[in-house]
Amino acid sequence: MDQRNATNRPGAKHVALLAGVSTATVSRALNSPGAVDPATLQRVRDAVAQLRYVPHGAARSLRSQRSRMVGAIVPSFDYALYAKTTSALQQHLSAQGYSVVLAEHHYDLEQELHVARQLVEHGVDAFMLVGIDHDPRLFDLLDEHRRPFVLTWGVDTTGRHPYIGFDNRAAAQEVARHVISLGHERIGIVSAPVEGNDRGRERLAGFRAAIAQAGLKEPQVEHARIALHDAAAAMKKLLARKPRPTAVLATNDVLAVGAMMACRAAGISIPDDVAITGIDNTDLGATQTPGLTSVRTPIVEIGEAAAEQLVALIEGRGEARSRVMEFELVVRDSARRRLRRKDG
Amino acid sequence: MDQRNATNRPGAKHVALLAGVSTATVSRALNSPGAVDPATLQRVRDAVAQLRYVPHGAARSLRSQRSRMVGAIVPSFDYALYAKTTSALQQHLSAQGYSVVLAEHHYDLEQELHVARQLVEHGVDAFMLVGIDHDPRLFDLLDEHRRPFVLTWGVDTTGRHPYIGFDNRAAAQEVARHVISLGHERIGIVSAPVEGNDRGRERLAGFRAAIAQAGLKEPQVEHARIALHDAAAAMKKLLARKPRPTAVLATNDVLAVGAMMACRAAGISIPDDVAITGIDNTDLGATQTPGLTSVRTPIVEIGEAAAEQLVALIEGRGEARSRVMEFELVVRDSARRRLRRKDG
DNA sequence: TTGTACGCGTTATCAC
DNA sequence: GTGATAACGCGTACAA
């Protein structure tokens, strides 16, 4: 008999036949090689190799209630931020035989719920989500379907859900303090939209806190979508103000670079006329002229830790353990000590 | 009866019971609503909503030999290039109920074969691959398992496999000619590794062809991994040469920006002392000072077209149709007409 | 239009 | 250590 099944794929049956064992043994040889006699194990392995047998994932999932797939739901893959986290996740999972199923929601929590449902249906075992704030129905969904998950890129101060991230507010506060320590007093802010974006909200709050603590007056805040041209437009508004801010804080590097573009277009010198800072320490910012002062955030580390955590949860070893990671101010030349001028 | 199955998930059975129909009708209501009486259809839908029934993907896949998942195997998610293509793919597939399973191979074709096997096992229906060159065993694998696929980011001149891409060689040739037309004669090249990387190889060939056609002398070529610091190191070598090249072509924007970093570190002015160009027209390059002259490549369009093509192939409508897309020279300030100098 | 009954390919549960 | 057998949850002939 050399018949194949409908898909023309050799199945465990064929391997069993060729190795002279039962399908049960084939399954054991693949999944718990320790529990099978070395000699038969070898025969099975030979048969597998000869037939180039590839187990049928769907059948395995159906039977074992485990798909060995992890869902990664991120806001966006633009600008390499979450893409890098996902990449780290993927590499670590792939090494353990898991695959990553991707979804983006473009900062729309309704959409996030929708794609999460799609992934649950596709049978992913666990989820990496970005941020702390999500539609309550999303948590219900995951709960109902017993899907472990980990929130990333933030800290859940309510302690309700497991997370792996860092304190966005503190990170923002740290750059802001740095800028203030350089003598800046009129500060503008370019902020990402904060709706459904706790990272952005926390960062903005961190800026505000530092400014308030220093006793400076309320900053002007311009919101922009996370795109260079939107950020440039927001910066233009800040620059139109008289007197102009001497420093502009952006809630991330992309916005900061957009702000830099606006300055260049307007012939305004960085950092002499205006200081600019970002957050996340991306290559985009680091390679600007002048280099963007920023905060290094644990972009890659988050993905690695998430992979480790999720596999542990899926395989039933260990509890969900939240982790707070470090960040680090990276000083470059886009923000310097404020020059006293006639307009200052 | 309110029993649930092992996973505590309501199944088609439960829906059927609640709606007062058979599981067959439930299945039909979901998959071919036209073939079911409007009244019963409504009852089924109500039951589905009430129980928050989510079909079991693995069971469905097992039965229908279709997982509604597409594999995206890309070299890397760093630098937002392939991430953007994948993002476009994902968005278009998600809208049609498909999900994307991600894998990276970091320019290792052996690793690519390995992850492809993993994805076949996980049951993905079709593949988007990047580039034209792959391990022959990869094509065998896909063929054996009847998995449709499309190659991207290049043109398969042998016509053996379907592709959606652009002519990398011509793109490179176009920037090179532009630079030559500016009067540059001593040209250096920073190239990505070409092993297992047909895009890089074609681009390098395009540079060489343009230089040869112009009757200029052989360029010095330095290879660097696609990372800023490696590119900077390669550039340093080019700059050490006496006489120095007056223009340096990079096979992509990341390498070009790395080259810019080296110039800045060495106090060499762009474009007065040396002209630099990239390919791919990324934000990274566009936001440099001076802005990087580059070639816009159809990064997003490739992903969209791949999604469309793959769904068509999976659903059995239409043949694989290869597509050649356009690119476009984007002139900025990193390359200008060559200044005659004492050393020229 | 709807229901009955079987099978997709694998793994878990028993015996042996 | 190994084999027979019964599920896993759904889709689809076929019959009604």
Side-chain angles (χ1 to χ4, degrees):
Chain A
M1 150 178 168
D2 197 22
Q3 316 279 25
R4 299 275 163 99
N5 53 37
T7 67
N8 203 41
R9 242 171 105 157
K13 257 194 295 254
H14 304 92
V15 177
L17 203 62
L18 183 57
V21 296
S22 73
T23 61
T25 299
V26 172
S27 175
R28 275 190 291 259
L30 267 53
N31 301 308
S32 30
V36 67
D37 186 89
T40 47
L41 179 59
Q42 194 51 53
R43 294 215 314 286
V44 172
R45 287 195 166 148
D46 289 348
V48 165
Q50 190 179 329
L51 295 175
R52 271 175 299 183
Y53 166 68
V54 176
H56 193 293
R60 168 176 286 177
S61 300
L62 178 58
R63 185 61 238 224
S64 64
Q65 309 294 347
R66 199 148 285 178
S67 69
R68 298 183 79 81
M69 297 190 305
V70 168
I73 304 185
V74 306
S76 157
F77 275 169
D78 296 345
Y79 299 111
L81 271 186
Y82 303 122
K84 278 195 173 170
T85 299
T86 306
S87 167
L89 179 83
Q90 188 269 328
Q91 284 176 62
H92 281 246
L93 287 178
S94 178
Q96 309 187 53
Y98 284 79
S99 290
V100 171
V101 186
L102 281 190
E104 295 168 90
H105 60 69
H106 296 279
Y107 297 95
D108 176 348
L109 296 188
E110 192 86 28
Q111 174 70 4
E112 182 179 38
L113 178 62
H114 176 75
V115 298
R117 221 187 286 281
Q118 224 173 75
L119 297 201
V120 167
E121 181 163 341
H122 280 316
V124 308
D125 292 332
F127 286 86
M128 178 187 86
L129 304 176
V130 171
I132 304 303
D133 291 356
H134 301 276
D135 192 310
R137 287 171 294 172
L138 176 53
F139 293 118
D140 290 346
L141 177 77
L142 298 178
D143 196 42
E144 230 169 274
H145 292 266
R146 305 270 149 76
R147 296 299 198 276
F149 64 89
V150 60
L151 308 182
T152 60
W153 277 79
V155 173
D156 183 8
T157 49
T158 72
R160 255 199 286 270
H161 306 296
Y163 60 85
I164 293 173
F166 58 95
D167 186 339
N168 284 278
R169 186 185 300 223
Q173 221 162 341
E174 184 156 335
V175 239
R177 285 197 183 125
H178 170 69
V179 167
I180 292 168
S181 78
L182 295 175
H184 293 278
E185 294 173 348
R186 281 198 316 280
I187 296 178
I189 293 176
V190 178
S191 170
V194 293
E195 192 182 309
N197 175 357
D198 49 273
R199 283 88 60 216
R201 197 161 49 242
E202 286 293 306
R203 291 175 181 193
L204 179 54
F207 288 159
R208 287 202 141 114
I211 290 168
Q213 280 164 20
L216 304 181
K217 73 157 193 270
E218 285 271 306
Q220 184 181 354
V221 179
E222 292 294 337
H223 287 269
R225 286 185 311 167
I226 305 176
L228 293 173
H229 287 285
D230 291 52
M235 184 65 178
K236 213 170 154 189
K237 288 189 203 159
L238 290 179
L239 292 176
R241 182 112 172 214
K242 308 273 157 85
R244 212 159 55 198
T246 66
V248 170
L249 311 173
T251 58
N252 66 47
D253 275 19
V254 173
L255 296 176
V257 171
M260 285 180 144
M261 290 170 64
C263 291
R264 285 175 203 144
I268 290 172
S269 157
I270 308 165
D272 293 341
D273 296 333
V274 60
I276 293 183
T277 64
I279 296 181
D280 287 331
N281 190 39
T282 61
D283 285 333
L284 181 66
T287 57
Q288 296 299 308
T289 325
L292 182 66
T293 287
S294 191
V295 179
R296 194 189 86 78
T297 53
I299 299 175
V300 170
E301 293 88 332
I302 288 174
E304 296 171 347
E308 196 183 345
Q309 165 97 235
L310 290 176
V311 170
L313 289 175
I314 292 169
E315 302 185 348
R317 38 183 174 77
E319 295 294 299
R321 271 182 42 83
S322 294
R323 273 183 65 180
V324 181
M325 297 184 152
E326 300 299 311
F327 53 81
E328 182 190 4
L329 181 68
V330 179
V331 176
R332 296 202 182 83
D333 298 323
S334 67
R336 290 230 205 93
R337 181 152 293 281
R338 179 185 167 208
L339 301 176
R340 291 265 153 200
R341 294 218 170 174
K342 61 176 187 298
D343 62 70
Chain B
M1 149 176 169
D2 197 23
Q3 317 279 24
R4 299 277 162 96
N5 53 37
T7 68
N8 204 39
R9 242 170 104 157
K13 253 194 299 250
H14 305 92
V15 176
L17 203 62
L18 183 57
V21 296
S22 74
T23 60
T25 300
V26 172
S27 175
R28 276 189 290 259
L30 267 52
N31 301 309
S32 31
V36 68
D37 186 88
T40 46
L41 178 59
Q42 194 52 52
R43 294 215 315 283
V44 172
R45 288 196 166 147
D46 289 347
V48 165
Q50 190 180 328
L51 295 175
R52 272 174 302 187
Y53 166 67
V54 177
H56 193 293
R60 169 177 284 175
S61 300
L62 178 58
R63 189 56 239 238
S64 63
Q65 308 294 347
R66 196 148 287 176
S67 69
R68 297 185 78 82
M69 297 190 305
V70 169
I73 304 185
V74 306
S76 157
F77 255 30
D78 296 345
Y79 298 112
L81 271 186
Y82 303 122
K84 277 195 173 168
T85 299
T86 306
S87 168
L89 179 83
Q90 189 269 328
Q91 284 176 62
H92 281 244
L93 287 178
S94 178
Q96 308 186 54
Y98 284 80
S99 291
V100 172
V101 186
L102 172 69
E104 296 169 88
H105 59 69
H106 295 278
Y107 296 94
D108 176 349
L109 296 188
E110 191 86 26
Q111 174 69 3
E112 181 179 38
L113 178 61
H114 175 75
V115 296
R117 218 187 290 278
Q118 224 172 76
L119 297 201
V120 167
E121 180 165 342
H122 279 316
V124 308
D125 293 332
F127 286 86
M128 179 188 87
L129 304 176
V130 170
I132 303 304
D133 291 356
H134 301 277
D135 193 310
R137 287 171 294 171
L138 176 54
F139 293 118
D140 290 346
L141 177 77
L142 298 177
D143 197 42
E144 228 170 273
H145 292 268
R146 304 270 149 77
R147 296 298 197 277
F149 63 90
V150 60
L151 308 182
T152 60
W153 278 79
V155 172
D156 183 9
T157 50
T158 72
R160 254 198 289 268
H161 306 296
Y163 60 85
I164 293 173
F166 59 94
D167 186 338
N168 284 278
R169 186 186 300 224
Q173 220 163 340
E174 184 154 334
V175 238
R177 284 196 183 125
H178 169 69
V179 166
I180 292 167
S181 79
L182 294 175
H184 292 278
E185 295 175 347
R186 280 199 315 280
I187 295 177
I189 293 176
V190 178
S191 170
V194 293
E195 191 182 308
N197 175 357
D198 50 272
R199 285 87 61 218
R201 196 160 52 243
E202 286 294 305
R203 290 176 181 192
L204 179 54
F207 288 158
R208 287 202 141 112
I211 290 168
Q213 280 164 21
L216 304 182
K217 74 155 192 270
E218 284 270 308
Q220 182 182 354
V221 178
E222 292 293 339
H223 288 269
R225 285 185 312 165
I226 304 177
L228 292 173
H229 287 284
D230 292 51
M235 183 66 179
K236 212 169 157 190
K237 289 189 202 158
L238 289 179
L239 291 177
R241 182 112 173 212
K242 307 276 154 87
R244 207 158 61 197
T246 68
V248 170
L249 311 173
T251 59
N252 66 47
D253 274 20
V254 173
L255 296 176
V257 171
M260 284 181 146
M261 288 170 65
C263 292
R264 286 177 203 142
I268 291 171
S269 158
I270 308 164
D272 292 340
D273 296 333
V274 60
I276 293 183
T277 65
I279 296 181
D280 288 330
N281 191 39
T282 61
D283 285 333
L284 181 68
T287 57
Q288 297 299 309
T289 325
L292 183 65
T293 288
S294 190
V295 180
R296 194 189 87 77
T297 53
I299 299 176
V300 170
E301 292 88 331
I302 287 173
E304 295 171 348
E308 197 181 346
Q309 166 98 234
L310 290 176
V311 170
L313 289 175
I314 292 169
E315 301 186 347
R317 37 183 176 76
E319 294 294 299
R321 271 183 41 81
S322 295
R323 276 182 64 180
V324 181
M325 295 183 154
E326 299 300 312
F327 53 81
E328 183 190 1
L329 181 68
V330 179
V331 176
R332 296 202 182 84
D333 299 322
S334 66
R336 291 231 206 92
R337 180 152 293 283
R338 179 186 167 207
L339 301 176
R340 291 265 155 202
R341 294 220 171 171
K342 61 173 187 300
D343 63 68

